Amino acid sequence: MTQPTAEATVLEPTAALTVETVNSVHHWNDRLFSFKITRPASFRFRSGEFIMIGLMGDNGRPLLRAYSVASPSWDEELEFLSIKVQDGPLTSRLQKIQPGDQIYLGRKPVGTLVTDALLPGKRLFFFSTGTGLAPFMSLARDPDVYSMFDQVICVHGVRQVSDLAYREMLEARLAEDPLVGEDAVDKFHYVPTVTREDFHTKGRIGDIIESGRLFEGLEGDAKLNPETDRIMLCGSMDMIKGQAHYLESIGFTEGSNSKPGDFVIERAFVD
């Protein structure tokens, strides 16, 4: 069994936080990493929700940030995707975690990137940039999503090809998933797009919508239609604001947990 790192602090649970153990860490490149931690037996969440996680701060208090859960709701572990910010109060330290280290986990997951906040539809689009992909990694492995929609389209916009975290899984291995594999083969579409390097799909999300590239190989309209399409947005503030404005301009209505609509935004955080 891997031992905690030497500088690791022994954490104590609180009324709002449990203490979990890091099981594994994967560094995608020098900007992105993901990690898996133990999951409390009592922890329940809806695919797409986020939770507070963190480490002990220098002031002796928990230093916490909101992170979307990247693992499906049925998984025995909890997975998270993070950027590396060298001078970031939390991520400068979080990127150094190793298996065996302890980490704080909030007890109450929340969020609006859930199917409960959407009206019924035929196509479900995930529009993500950077680490905004995380909640969609959870939703893409949720059997309920495939029972609700005829097509599930995951769009991931990044600057460089190496930023396409989970690319191999989304391109091929999702078909091997024990719960959604059969549905994924028929219904799931992965659309990675890159802005700063040569790639088979180039441009921002708005560019591939406008050009029609997004709709190649899909059933239905070669445009976004509020009658049939439902959309979830997570990522950079520029992308979210731009796409939300565009969607509203063509007749889409934003939804919430209390009033489902045509598209939803995670307003709690951005890249």
Side-chain angles (χ1 to χ4, degrees):
M1 181 176 177
T2 306
Q3 295 299 313
T5 52
E7 68 272 25
T9 303
V10 176
L11 306 180
E12 296 293 337
T14 70
L17 303 168
T18 64
V19 174
E20 303 306 320
T21 302
V22 176
N23 287 341
S24 62
V25 183
H26 180 80
H27 293 273
W28 297 96
N29 57 22
D30 60 357
R31 297 176 298 278
L32 287 172
F33 71 106
S34 57
F35 55 98
K36 296 181 180 180
I37 67 172
T38 54
R39 176 178 179 170
S42 60
F43 189 85
R44 299 287 181 272
F45 71 99
R46 295 178 296 172
S47 299
E49 288 187 316
F50 69 88
I51 192 70
M52 303 303 290
I53 61 173
L55 302 170
M56 180 63 74
D58 294 335
N59 61 359
R61 297 179 179 178
L63 177 61
L64 307 171
R65 294 289 185 272
Y67 275 80
S68 292
V69 182
S71 46
S73 58
W74 48 263
D75 204 316
E76 293 180 357
E77 298 176 300
L78 297 175
E79 185 169 6
F80 302 94
L81 176 64
S82 178
I83 56 173
K84 301 177 183 179
V85 181
Q86 300 312 317
D87 57 352
L90 179 59
T91 57
S92 62
R93 297 168 54 193
L94 195 61
Q95 64 185 286
K96 298 175 183 177
I97 58 172
Q98 297 180 25
D101 287 351
Q102 291 186 324
I103 191 169
Y104 282 120
L105 174 73
R107 296 180 187 270
K108 187 179 180 183
V110 292
T112 52
L113 292 177
V114 292
T115 55
D116 292 344
L118 291 175
L119 294 168
K122 293 186 177 180
R123 301 190 297 194
L124 175 61
F125 289 87
F126 302 141
F127 289 165
S128 63
T129 59
T131 56
L133 176 68
F136 305 140
M137 289 303 302
S138 178
L139 284 154
R141 289 176 281 177
D142 187 330
D144 290 344
V145 170
Y146 294 92
S147 68
M148 296 173 66
F149 295 93
D150 297 334
Q151 297 178 85
V152 178
I153 304 98
C154 180
V155 185
H156 188 202
V158 298
R159 295 175 179 176
Q160 296 176 299
V161 176
S162 66
D163 294 328
L164 291 171
Y166 302 103
R167 179 184 176 186
E168 182 183 350
M169 174 182 287
L170 293 171
E171 283 185 336
R173 285 173 44 215
L174 200 61
E176 302 169 6
D177 187 277
L179 291 188
V180 303
E182 192 171 322
D183 283 331
V185 169
D186 295 331
K187 297 184 175 185
F188 184 77
H189 302 265
Y190 172 53
V191 186
T193 183
V194 177
T195 59
R196 296 188 181 179
E197 288 183 335
D198 286 336
F199 194 62
H200 58 71
T201 304
K202 286 198 68 176
R204 298 179 184 275
I205 291 174
D207 298 333
I208 65 172
I209 295 173
E210 186 176 350
S211 70
R213 171 66 181 83
L214 172 60
F215 306 98
E216 294 176 6
L218 300 183
E219 297 176 7
D221 294 336
K223 62 179 181 179
L224 296 175
N225 183 345
E227 295 297 317
T228 57
D229 297 333
R230 300 295 171 256
I231 299 170
M232 294 181 167
L233 305 170
C234 191
S236 71
M237 184 62 79
D238 285 346
M239 186 277 286
I240 289 177
K241 284 185 174 179
Q243 289 308 310
H245 177 76
Y246 171 70
L247 292 172
E248 289 176 341
S249 75
I250 59 173
F252 282 77
T253 301
E254 184 177 354
S256 65
N257 279 290
S258 59
K259 188 178 181 182
D262 306 319
F263 76 97
V264 288
I265 294 169
E266 187 47 78
R267 295 185 173 276
F269 54 92
V270 295
D271 278 347

